[in-house]
Amino acid sequence: MLYSIIHKISLVILKLFFNKVSILNKDKIPKDTPVIFVANHPNFFMDPLIVGSCCPRTLHFFAKSTIFNSSLKKYFLSRLNLIPIFRKIDDEKNMGKNVHSFIKGYEILENNGAFLIFPEGISMGRRVLEKLKTGAARIGLEAEEKNNFNLNTCIIPIGISYSDLVRFRSDIMVRFGEPIYLKKYEKQYGANVKDTVRNLTGVIEGSLNRLTNYIQDDDIEDIVEGLELIYKMELMTELGMELDDKNDDFTTSKLLTDAVQWYNEHDPSLISQFRKKLNEYLSLLRQLEIRDEFLDPVRQEARNWGKTRTVIFLILGAPLFIYGLITNYLPYKIPRLLVETRNKHSSEMASWKLIYGFILFVIYYGFSIILFWKFSEDMTLLILFILSLIPSGNFALFYSKSMIKYGQHVRFLSMFYRKRSIVFEIIKQRIELLKLIEDSKNKYMEVMR
């Protein structure tokens, strides 16, 4: 009952908090066989909420034992299908209690159920897959062994990608991978238990890396992000991809990541050369407060920088923007201030924003509705007011972003006329970077053929 209620509330919250949630390959999930879902874990609270909301199966969730730190929490969390996992980093002495958690996992699979586990065992908010724990493989294989490998259990990897880990109204992509059926590991498991568990964990790791735009070495994260900033849209256009298609966006990021990882292994001197040029370019952009997209003709055309149309939009939309600001600004802004003052880790920021925001929006909207009714006492106007709250907030957010971008664009044009030599120097650096990228891309494609 409680699980069903929270599931429905989660769907609403995700639609309000995120701009777009793209779900791919949901059809790969079997309906009538036990399933272990394994996912990467960039966001400690959002990830289970997202997977639980978009998965067609009723899930149990393996979660770190530290959140079960009171009788009240244990009561509610158990009714939300959460199962504690005792981690070495929390308290090594209690790891023996995992026996009971594993038994619970066996029972779920034996009853044709499904559960979600994050094999990284920790949420760091980085773009690197942490070393995987073997729990998912162990539970699955041990459950099958107990039942003579007749359960037909499969492991389904899930890749979770955020366009921005902490920003409100960002995008999410959830990609379900190919099922890994444990039946085929029966002979290997009988011959060598430890090696089979390790091998299966390696297969899971490979699947998660393919389903995410993660990098294998965080030393090259700045290179990948630099390429995404100045070259991804150009590459998408060159490859004939749709700029607003999240799957195409993911594929392009994956291509760039794979190429950088290859060069890091085979030509690290090129990585160093590119990093030096990239840092000089980005440093100059920051000093002059210029966005890279203002120097990119492809993005200028793709984003339709029509000065007249933008000015008309800003003028006509101003009254609605002010209305949306009045009805939404405080519950939008306060959660951000709370998160910043409490120095939350990047992997937790979006989660706490959602929690604080949900509470404050409910209170603020409730107070606004009561106040509006007190002064209007008109049911029709009240209904229209209630229906306008969320859309006006979304419009105000879009308007403010458009206003900021337009202001930056005007400042760039002003700088172009006043400091042409500096702008031309930045453009020159950008052209040199693009030439280096293009030459490296051609070499990489030759090798990959």
Side-chain angles (χ1 to χ4, degrees):
M1 178 66 176
L2 184 58
Y3 180 93
S4 178
I5 293 171
I6 295 297
H7 183 269
K8 289 179 174 62
I9 292 174
S10 299
L11 289 171
V12 175
I13 290 174
L14 292 179
K15 286 181 180 179
L16 294 176
F17 191 88
F18 293 102
N19 179 50
K20 185 176 182 181
V21 180
S22 303
I23 304 169
L24 299 178
N25 305 323
K26 190 191 283 191
D27 58 314
K28 294 183 183 296
I29 303 172
K31 298 177 181 178
D32 55 355
T33 191
V35 180
I36 301 173
F37 292 96
V38 293
N40 61 308
H41 201 15
N43 194 314
F44 92 108
F45 174 71
M46 287 290 194
D47 299 336
L49 194 68
I50 290 165
V51 176
S53 299
C54 69
C55 183
R57 300 287 296 265
T58 298
L59 295 179
H60 290 77
F61 304 86
F62 280 86
K64 59 182 182 180
S65 61
T66 51
I67 66 173
F68 297 77
N69 56 6
S70 73
S71 299
L72 186 62
K73 286 184 180 179
K74 286 179 184 177
Y75 176 81
F76 280 105
L77 293 176
S78 62
R79 277 152 185 77
L80 289 174
N81 294 349
L82 268 69
I83 304 163
I85 281 288
F86 298 86
R87 304 181 304 173
K88 188 175 183 179
I89 60 173
D90 296 324
D91 188 354
E92 189 173 355
K93 295 178 182 177
N94 282 322
M95 287 188 66
K97 295 181 181 180
N98 281 329
V99 172
H100 304 293
S101 302
F102 276 41
I103 291 173
K104 180 63 178 176
Y106 307 152
E107 292 173 353
I108 293 168
L109 298 177
E110 288 168 352
N111 289 311
N112 216 32
F115 64 79
L116 169 67
I117 191 168
F118 297 103
E120 290 173 279
I122 193 170
S123 178
M124 296 297 292
R126 300 193 306 162
R127 201 170 167 177
V128 179
L129 193 69
E130 305 294 331
K131 181 176 175 59
L132 300 192
K133 307 298 186 290
T134 59
R138 285 179 56 198
I139 294 172
L141 289 168
E142 288 172 9
E144 284 288 353
E145 183 190 35
K146 282 169 81 311
N147 293 272
N148 300 314
F149 278 84
N150 290 323
L151 293 178
N152 200 32
T153 302
C154 71
I155 294 177
I156 294 185
I158 307 172
I160 307 172
S161 302
Y162 295 80
S163 63
D164 191 309
L165 195 61
V166 300
R167 185 169 58 86
F168 177 66
R169 302 300 291 170
S170 58
D171 299 320
I172 307 173
M173 175 172 284
V174 181
R175 297 166 63 93
F176 291 94
E178 293 292 337
I180 305 166
Y181 283 94
L182 303 189
K183 177 71 175 176
K184 70 176 186 178
Y185 291 90
E186 182 177 2
K187 289 184 179 178
Q188 296 177 40
Y189 191 76
N192 192 313
V193 171
K194 287 187 177 179
D195 282 353
T196 307
V197 169
R198 275 198 299 268
N199 291 340
L200 178 55
T201 303
V203 171
I204 294 170
E205 181 178 356
S207 297
L208 289 178
N209 272 315
R210 287 190 295 274
L211 292 167
T212 61
N213 54 11
Y214 278 6
I215 57 177
Q216 294 177 9
D217 186 346
D218 55 4
D219 288 341
I220 57 172
E221 186 172 0
D222 61 326
I223 304 294
V224 175
E225 290 178 349
L227 283 171
E228 288 177 334
L229 174 69
I230 67 176
Y231 187 63
K232 181 162 75 170
M233 193 168 288
E234 184 171 322
L235 181 59
M236 290 180 73
T237 303
E238 181 182 328
L239 296 174
M241 294 183 171
E242 296 291 332
L243 297 179
D244 294 323
D245 187 302
K246 299 305 174 186
N247 192 38
D248 284 352
D249 184 90
F250 173 88
T251 301
T252 308
S253 285
K254 195 66 177 170
L255 288 171
L256 291 173
T257 301
D258 291 345
V260 173
Q261 286 176 168
W262 184 87
Y263 270 108
N264 193 47
E265 293 174 8
H266 296 88
D267 192 354
S269 62
L270 182 67
I271 294 292
S272 299
Q273 180 187 354
F274 182 79
R275 177 178 283 115
K276 183 174 182 295
K277 288 182 176 292
L278 176 66
N279 288 339
E280 289 173 355
Y281 173 68
L282 294 179
S283 177
L284 201 51
L285 286 183
R286 283 192 294 269
Q287 288 176 28
L288 299 175
E289 297 183 339
I290 296 176
R291 294 167 66 96
D292 173 76
E293 65 185 70
F294 299 145
L295 306 172
D296 184 359
V298 174
R299 271 183 285 181
Q300 292 298 311
E301 183 179 351
R303 298 305 180 199
N304 294 315
W305 279 110
K307 185 162 63 174
T308 303
R309 187 174 63 179
T310 304
V311 170
I312 292 172
F313 167 75
L314 292 176
I315 293 172
L316 295 180
L320 185 55
F321 166 68
I322 294 170
Y323 175 74
L325 211 59
I326 294 170
T327 54
N328 291 270
Y329 182 75
L330 285 178
Y332 171 81
K333 190 66 177 177
I334 291 173
R336 279 142 192 78
L337 295 175
L338 288 173
V339 169
E340 289 169 7
T341 55
R342 297 191 177 193
N343 296 318
K344 296 294 184 183
H345 191 274
S346 61
S347 65
E348 302 179 5
M349 288 178 70
S351 302
W352 284 108
K353 280 183 183 180
L354 186 149
I355 294 169
Y356 294 147
F358 181 76
I359 295 170
L360 287 169
F361 268 106
V362 169
I363 295 171
Y364 191 81
Y365 280 175
F367 177 76
S368 301
I369 291 168
I370 292 170
L371 199 64
F372 188 91
W373 172 250
K374 183 179 179 180
F375 285 99
S376 72
E377 294 186 352
D378 186 311
M379 184 56 68
T380 302
L381 287 177
L382 181 66
I383 292 172
L384 290 174
F385 174 71
I386 294 171
L387 292 175
S388 73
L389 289 173
I390 294 174
S392 66
N394 288 337
F395 178 83
L397 187 62
F398 176 75
Y399 183 97
S400 64
K401 290 177 180 177
S402 300
M403 187 165 52
I404 291 169
K405 279 191 175 183
Y406 183 69
Q408 292 170 336
H409 186 61
V410 170
R411 188 168 64 249
F412 167 71
L413 291 177
S414 173
M415 184 177 295
F416 182 81
Y417 289 112
R418 290 185 293 107
K419 301 178 180 180
R420 289 194 179 192
S421 59
I422 297 176
V423 175
F424 286 146
E425 176 60 28
I426 298 176
I427 293 173
K428 179 185 174 184
Q429 287 190 19
R430 192 176 194 279
I431 291 172
E432 290 176 357
L433 269 172
L434 289 174
K435 186 178 185 309
L436 180 59
I437 292 169
E438 193 66 27
D439 292 342
S440 303
K441 183 193 75 174
N442 293 335
K443 177 183 175 182
Y444 176 73
M445 291 178 68
E446 278 291 325
V447 173
M448 291 297 109
R449 284 176 184 170

